[in-house]
Amino acid sequence: MATHHVLSIKVRRSNLDNSLDSVAFSSTYPMEDQDTPQIITHIEHNLDHSLFDCKWVPCSAKFVVIGSLPKGSGTIEIFEISSGEIKNIKVIERPNSFKCGTFGASSDVERRLATGDFKGTLEIWDLEKSSQVYITKEHTDIINSIDGMGGSTVNCGAPEIVTGSRDGTVKVWDPRQRGKPVANMQAARGETRRDCWCVCFGNSFNDAERIVLAGYDNGDLKMFDLRTMSLRWECNLKNGVCSAEFDRKDIPMNKLVATTLEGKFHVFDLRTQNPTKGFAQVLDNSAQSGTIWVARHLPQNRDIFVTCAGNGQVTLWKYEYPEQRCHVDGSGAACGVAGKLRRLQRMLISTQPVNAWEWNRDHAGLALATAYDQHLRVVVTTKLNLQ
């Protein structure tokens, strides 16, 4: 395995929790503008198998990479950043390939990873002991997407996990309860079940409210209200929905980004829902090659997000709000007003699609990325505080 260093980075770690205390970056790359953010690959690490997801281990300098070996078994690899290097410190291998993972339903103390695999199994792992603490198989096909909520955020409801599968179902799980899901969203009897490609939580700003958003292969985007157990809103984006994310999970829903095939993504303003028109949106399909695999909002600034394209390019965007986010239409109903998108920077970091991106919530601009070229990358984005 080859590791390539592109930029020097200095990391100091606490002896207690190995967390990143400070990160200093230096670069000799030419700047387009004094205040323009720069997207810089700090470390490239070549692995010998397929990579599908990556997550920072909360409150530490460690991260996990989820993937599949050529023989079909799944791996959870734990890496640590130390003195500008990444070191593989543990590998968990299981018979079935893993597809996705989240720490969202676990506390920052336990730091338990929930995973979905190619056989439809949901598992929760104690990474320190390399052991399962929860396992259930209620999906009949691959779990394409997973998200968690309630693990580390105070007053935002119970810890829950949501999974979306090729079997057409979206299931919500309480890790404190064994076996069956606490909610199951699927097509009505007689209707075609569509492959669910992505799921996420949002609107979880107290102990009662919580939304699940699900995107499907036929372009359907559905918003389920878990408090009322109803379909709150749906639309069709005309292309398969690869990724969807609220700008924040733990606030009254503000906006979301949904990415699709054919180089498009949509930003919806969620503050105002019109009875007939739904939510205002802005669509971008400018000069992005192929599928937009994923979009992720910067934890330190919810108006900045990154999109990752099929040609290996990552693009940094900023959403700019209109002067007025709402107006009254001809029928007297409130109607949302979409803002504008400003591209801050773009950079080609891979020769293959970038399929996962994870910002570090403690250090603005620090991120992980995996791609189908079998490379793991640690990426640094500068000057985000100037935007």
Side-chain angles (χ1 to χ4, degrees):
M1 294 185 292
T3 302
H4 306 287
H5 299 276
V6 183
L7 180 71
S8 70
I9 182 171
K10 184 186 296 182
V11 181
R12 295 200 306 269
R13 292 180 292 116
S14 165
N15 292 329
L16 296 176
D17 61 4
N18 290 328
S19 63
L20 287 163
D21 293 328
S22 69
V23 182
F25 310 114
S26 62
S27 172
T28 59
Y29 289 79
M31 299 294 180
E32 295 179 1
D33 182 88
Q34 190 172 8
D35 296 334
T36 300
Q38 298 299 303
I39 302 170
I40 304 166
T41 300
H42 161 51
I43 298 173
E44 287 184 351
H45 192 71
N46 185 20
L47 299 171
D48 58 356
H49 57 274
S50 299
L51 311 178
F52 297 121
D53 205 356
C54 53
K55 299 292 176 186
W56 292 101
V57 178
C59 304
S60 78
K62 301 183 180 72
F63 57 88
V64 298
V65 177
I66 294 168
S68 172
L69 296 176
K71 63 183 179 181
S73 59
T75 61
I76 301 172
E77 296 179 86
I78 306 174
F79 294 87
E80 184 176 34
I81 297 179
S82 175
S83 302
E85 306 278 344
I86 62 172
K87 180 174 65 174
N88 190 323
I89 59 176
K90 184 178 292 187
V91 178
I92 300 172
E93 184 176 344
R94 289 296 182 268
N96 299 324
S97 299
F98 294 108
K99 180 62 169 65
C100 50
T102 180
F103 286 99
S106 177
S107 71
D108 288 347
V109 175
E110 290 185 325
R111 298 186 285 193
R112 290 176 173 174
L113 176 71
T115 59
D117 72 13
F118 277 63
K119 297 295 186 181
T121 306
L122 168 65
E123 298 167 280
I124 301 177
W125 299 88
D126 183 329
L127 297 179
E128 294 294 327
K129 300 178 181 179
S130 302
S131 62
Q132 297 168 337
V133 296
Y134 181 100
I135 181 170
T136 184
K137 188 180 184 304
E138 292 293 318
H139 287 291
T140 59
D141 211 329
I142 180 175
I143 296 176
N144 289 315
S145 180
I146 191 170
D147 194 19
M149 187 63 203
S152 59
T153 309
V154 179
N155 299 324
C156 71
E160 287 181 330
I161 296 165
V162 61
T163 52
S165 170
R166 184 181 292 167
D167 65 15
T169 65
V170 175
K171 300 180 188 293
V172 179
W173 313 83
D174 186 334
R176 302 168 302 179
Q177 301 179 26
R178 299 286 175 171
K180 300 294 181 180
V182 296
N184 183 19
M185 286 74 79
Q186 61 185 12
R189 185 182 299 272
E191 293 185 0
T192 303
R193 291 192 176 191
R194 306 302 310 197
D195 187 349
C196 180
W197 284 358
C198 61
V199 291
C200 67
F201 281 121
N203 202 50
S204 188
F205 59 92
N206 59 30
D207 290 335
E209 299 287 343
R210 186 164 290 175
I211 291 287
V212 165
L213 192 71
Y216 298 83
D217 66 332
N218 65 339
D220 283 348
L221 187 64
K222 297 178 182 288
M223 183 181 288
F224 301 100
D225 190 325
L226 295 184
R227 182 178 63 83
T228 61
M229 294 303 294
S230 63
L231 179 64
R232 174 165 176 171
W233 169 77
E234 63 179 331
C235 70
N236 187 278
L237 304 184
K238 300 181 180 179
N239 287 290
V241 184
C242 304
S243 168
E245 186 184 60
F246 293 91
D247 59 356
R248 289 288 183 276
K249 299 179 185 181
D250 57 351
I251 62 172
M253 56 183 185
N254 181 57
K255 62 182 186 297
L256 71 87
V257 175
T259 72
T260 73
L261 305 176
E262 298 189 8
K264 298 179 175 65
F265 70 88
H266 305 248
V267 182
F268 292 88
D269 188 308
L270 303 179
R271 283 296 174 90
T272 305
Q273 183 177 0
N274 185 272
T276 57
K277 299 176 182 177
F279 299 107
Q281 65 162 303
V282 56
L283 166 67
D284 182 274
N285 58 0
S286 59
Q288 299 208 66
S289 175
T291 297
I292 307 298
W293 285 86
V294 66
R296 290 291 179 260
H297 292 86
L298 185 70
Q300 295 81 8
N301 184 342
R302 67 185 185 190
D303 299 327
I304 294 177
F305 62 96
V306 68
T307 57
C308 304
N311 64 346
Q313 180 174 276
V314 296
T315 307
L316 194 68
W317 302 89
K318 184 172 184 179
Y319 182 82
E320 297 179 336
Y321 295 97
E323 291 186 6
Q324 292 186 330
R325 295 181 65 180
C326 178
H327 71 88
V328 178
D329 63 16
S331 64
C335 187
V337 179
K340 296 180 180 180
L341 291 168
R342 179 163 61 94
R343 191 180 70 201
L344 301 178
Q345 187 56 278
R346 59 183 174 182
M347 181 64 64
L348 196 69
I349 68 169
S350 172
T351 58
Q352 296 292 322
V354 178
N355 58 5
W357 182 281
E358 174 83 347
W359 293 108
N360 188 292
R361 74 184 194 191
D362 298 317
H363 300 276
L366 187 62
L368 301 171
T370 59
Y372 285 127
D373 64 356
Q374 300 186 348
H375 278 75
L376 158 71
R377 292 172 174 86
V378 179
V379 182
V380 175
T381 304
T382 65
K383 301 186 187 305
L384 291 171
N385 60 324
L386 301 179
Q387 304 310 308

